[in-house]
Amino acid sequence: CLVAHREGIMKLAPFVKFREEKFGAVLFETRSEKVYTLSPTGAAVVREIVAGASSIDLSSKLQEKYDDPSGRMSREAESFLAELKEKGLIVE
């Protein structure tokens, strides 16, 4: 039996700062002082997280905003979210 599970709102971890730049954006992890350079797609994903998107809403919001009928950006976003979670940069 499958149980419906609504994932919560994502947010940046408390020790992560987001800053947009001309080339995209950067994430700064203040504990280890690591800087992650984001592509424009990565910046769009983090912008949605900062705006309060849930992981369920994220793909549809990106498809609407960036006219992504192929779903390529959504697939990239899902992969990127998994990477952010794995590194502890976002929390739900």
Side-chain angles (χ1 to χ4, degrees):
C1 175
L2 294 175
V3 177
H5 180 264
R6 171 137 172 86
E7 294 187 45
I9 301 297
M10 297 175 292
K11 61 183 177 182
L12 295 178
F15 49 84
V16 177
K17 306 296 179 209
F18 172 64
R19 188 173 74 209
E20 296 201 49
E21 300 286 349
K22 290 178 184 173
F23 56 81
V26 294
L27 284 178
F28 181 61
E29 202 266 56
T30 59
R31 291 187 309 184
S32 65
E33 297 187 356
K34 288 185 180 176
V35 176
Y36 299 91
T37 303
L38 305 179
S39 67
T41 299
V45 170
V46 175
R47 206 175 297 117
E48 291 299 327
I49 292 169
V50 170
S54 73
S55 53
I56 293 172
D57 297 335
L58 185 71
S59 291
S60 60
K61 285 184 178 198
L62 291 174
Q63 282 182 325
E64 286 173 24
K65 283 187 176 182
Y66 298 99
D67 190 27
D68 180 35
S70 71
R72 180 173 174 248
M73 186 175 194
S74 293
R75 288 189 300 277
E76 287 179 13
E78 286 174 22
S79 174
F80 182 56
L81 278 177
E83 189 178 341
L84 290 173
K85 286 178 187 177
E86 182 181 304
K87 291 180 191 241
L89 299 172
I90 60 171
V91 293
E92 285 189 71

